[in-house]
Short mmCIF file of all heavy atoms in Angstrom, two decimals:
data_model
loop_
_atom_site.label_atom_id
_atom_site.label_comp_id
_atom_site.label_asym_id
_atom_site.label_seq_id
_atom_site.Cartn_x
_atom_site.Cartn_y
_atom_site.Cartn_z
N PHE G 65 -83.32 -71.26 65.15
CA PHE G 65 -82.61 -72.42 65.67
C PHE G 65 -83.65 -73.37 66.24
O PHE G 65 -84.62 -72.94 66.84
CB PHE G 65 -81.66 -72.02 66.81
CG PHE G 65 -80.33 -71.50 66.36
CD1 PHE G 65 -80.21 -70.27 65.72
CD2 PHE G 65 -79.20 -72.24 66.58
CE1 PHE G 65 -78.99 -69.80 65.32
CE2 PHE G 65 -77.96 -71.77 66.18
CZ PHE G 65 -77.85 -70.55 65.55
N MET G 66 -83.44 -74.63 66.05
CA MET G 66 -84.35 -75.61 66.63
C MET G 66 -84.07 -75.72 68.13
O MET G 66 -82.94 -75.54 68.57
CB MET G 66 -84.14 -76.99 65.97
CG MET G 66 -84.32 -76.96 64.46
SD MET G 66 -85.92 -76.31 63.95
CE MET G 66 -86.97 -77.66 64.35
N GLU G 67 -85.10 -76.01 68.90
CA GLU G 67 -84.98 -76.03 70.35
C GLU G 67 -83.93 -77.00 70.86
O GLU G 67 -83.35 -76.77 71.91
CB GLU G 67 -86.33 -76.34 70.98
CG GLU G 67 -87.30 -75.19 70.84
CD GLU G 67 -88.60 -75.44 71.57
OE1 GLU G 67 -88.60 -76.15 72.58
OE2 GLU G 67 -89.62 -74.91 71.10
N ASP G 68 -83.68 -78.07 70.15
CA ASP G 68 -82.72 -79.06 70.64
C ASP G 68 -81.30 -78.81 70.14
O ASP G 68 -80.38 -79.58 70.44
CB ASP G 68 -83.16 -80.47 70.27
CG ASP G 68 -83.35 -80.67 68.78
OD1 ASP G 68 -83.32 -79.65 68.04
OD2 ASP G 68 -83.53 -81.82 68.36
N MET G 69 -81.08 -77.72 69.41
CA MET G 69 -79.75 -77.41 68.90
C MET G 69 -78.92 -76.68 69.95
O MET G 69 -79.46 -75.88 70.73
CB MET G 69 -79.84 -76.54 67.65
CG MET G 69 -80.40 -77.25 66.44
SD MET G 69 -80.53 -76.14 65.01
CE MET G 69 -78.81 -75.83 64.67
N PRO G 70 -77.60 -76.94 69.98
CA PRO G 70 -76.74 -76.17 70.90
C PRO G 70 -76.84 -74.68 70.55
O PRO G 70 -76.89 -74.30 69.39
CB PRO G 70 -75.34 -76.70 70.59
CG PRO G 70 -75.54 -77.99 69.88
CD PRO G 70 -76.87 -77.91 69.20
N GLY G 71 -76.89 -73.86 71.57
CA GLY G 71 -76.95 -72.41 71.36
C GLY G 71 -78.36 -71.87 71.26
O GLY G 71 -78.55 -70.66 71.14
N TYR G 72 -79.37 -72.73 71.33
CA TYR G 72 -80.75 -72.27 71.20
C TYR G 72 -81.11 -71.24 72.26
O TYR G 72 -81.71 -70.22 71.95
CB TYR G 72 -81.74 -73.45 71.27
CG TYR G 72 -83.18 -72.98 71.32
CD1 TYR G 72 -83.85 -72.61 70.16
CD2 TYR G 72 -83.86 -72.88 72.53
CE1 TYR G 72 -85.15 -72.16 70.20
CE2 TYR G 72 -85.17 -72.42 72.58
CZ TYR G 72 -85.81 -72.07 71.41
OH TYR G 72 -87.09 -71.61 71.46
N GLU G 73 -80.75 -71.49 73.51
CA GLU G 73 -81.13 -70.58 74.60
C GLU G 73 -80.53 -69.19 74.40
O GLU G 73 -81.18 -68.19 74.68
CB GLU G 73 -80.72 -71.16 75.96
CG GLU G 73 -81.52 -72.39 76.36
CD GLU G 73 -83.03 -72.12 76.43
OE1 GLU G 73 -83.44 -71.04 76.90
OE2 GLU G 73 -83.79 -73.00 76.00
N VAL G 74 -79.31 -69.14 73.91
CA VAL G 74 -78.67 -67.84 73.64
C VAL G 74 -79.42 -67.13 72.53
O VAL G 74 -79.73 -65.94 72.63
CB VAL G 74 -77.19 -68.03 73.28
CG1 VAL G 74 -76.58 -66.71 72.79
CG2 VAL G 74 -76.40 -68.57 74.46
N GLU G 75 -79.74 -67.85 71.46
CA GLU G 75 -80.47 -67.25 70.34
C GLU G 75 -81.87 -66.83 70.76
O GLU G 75 -82.38 -65.80 70.31
CB GLU G 75 -80.51 -68.20 69.15
CG GLU G 75 -79.17 -68.40 68.49
CD GLU G 75 -78.54 -67.09 68.01
OE1 GLU G 75 -79.24 -66.27 67.38
OE2 GLU G 75 -77.34 -66.88 68.26
N ARG G 76 -82.50 -67.61 71.63
CA ARG G 76 -83.84 -67.26 72.14
C ARG G 76 -83.77 -65.97 72.93
O ARG G 76 -84.61 -65.08 72.78
CB ARG G 76 -84.38 -68.40 73.00
CG ARG G 76 -85.65 -68.10 73.74
CD ARG G 76 -86.85 -68.06 72.83
NE ARG G 76 -88.06 -67.84 73.64
CZ ARG G 76 -89.14 -67.26 73.18
NH1 ARG G 76 -89.22 -66.88 71.93
NH2 ARG G 76 -90.18 -67.09 73.96
N ALA G 77 -82.76 -65.85 73.78
CA ALA G 77 -82.59 -64.62 74.57
C ALA G 77 -82.38 -63.41 73.65
O ALA G 77 -82.93 -62.34 73.89
CB ALA G 77 -81.42 -64.77 75.55
N ARG G 78 -81.59 -63.60 72.60
CA ARG G 78 -81.38 -62.51 71.64
C ARG G 78 -82.68 -62.13 70.95
O ARG G 78 -82.97 -60.95 70.75
CB ARG G 78 -80.34 -62.91 70.60
CG ARG G 78 -78.94 -62.94 71.14
CD ARG G 78 -77.96 -63.31 70.05
NE ARG G 78 -76.63 -63.39 70.62
CZ ARG G 78 -75.67 -64.16 70.15
NH1 ARG G 78 -75.88 -64.91 69.08
NH2 ARG G 78 -74.49 -64.18 70.73
N ALA G 79 -83.45 -63.13 70.55
CA ALA G 79 -84.72 -62.87 69.88
C ALA G 79 -85.66 -62.08 70.78
O ALA G 79 -86.31 -61.13 70.34
CB ALA G 79 -85.37 -64.19 69.44
N LEU G 80 -85.73 -62.46 72.05
CA LEU G 80 -86.60 -61.73 72.99
C LEU G 80 -86.14 -60.29 73.15
O LEU G 80 -86.95 -59.37 73.22
CB LEU G 80 -86.62 -62.44 74.35
CG LEU G 80 -87.36 -63.78 74.38
CD1 LEU G 80 -87.07 -64.51 75.68
CD2 LEU G 80 -88.85 -63.57 74.20
N ARG G 81 -84.83 -60.08 73.20
CA ARG G 81 -84.28 -58.74 73.36
C ARG G 81 -84.58 -57.88 72.13
O ARG G 81 -84.99 -56.72 72.25
CB ARG G 81 -82.77 -58.83 73.59
CG ARG G 81 -82.09 -57.53 73.82
CD ARG G 81 -82.44 -57.00 75.16
NE ARG G 81 -81.68 -55.79 75.39
CZ ARG G 81 -81.93 -54.96 76.34
NH1 ARG G 81 -82.91 -55.20 77.17
NH2 ARG G 81 -81.22 -53.88 76.50
N ILE G 82 -84.39 -58.44 70.95
CA ILE G 82 -84.67 -57.69 69.72
C ILE G 82 -86.15 -57.33 69.64
O ILE G 82 -86.51 -56.19 69.34
CB ILE G 82 -84.24 -58.51 68.48
CG1 ILE G 82 -82.71 -58.60 68.43
CG2 ILE G 82 -84.78 -57.87 67.19
CD1 ILE G 82 -82.20 -59.62 67.42
N ALA G 83 -87.01 -58.30 69.94
CA ALA G 83 -88.45 -58.05 69.86
C ALA G 83 -88.88 -56.97 70.84
O ALA G 83 -89.77 -56.18 70.56
CB ALA G 83 -89.23 -59.34 70.11
#
Side-chain angles (χ1 to χ4, degrees):
F65 277 69
M66 303 305 286
E67 289 185 29
D68 57 350
M69 291 178 67
Y72 172 81
E73 291 302 320
V74 171
E75 291 302 314
R76 172 73 176 153
R78 287 181 183 152
L80 289 169
R81 182 72 176 166
I82 290 168

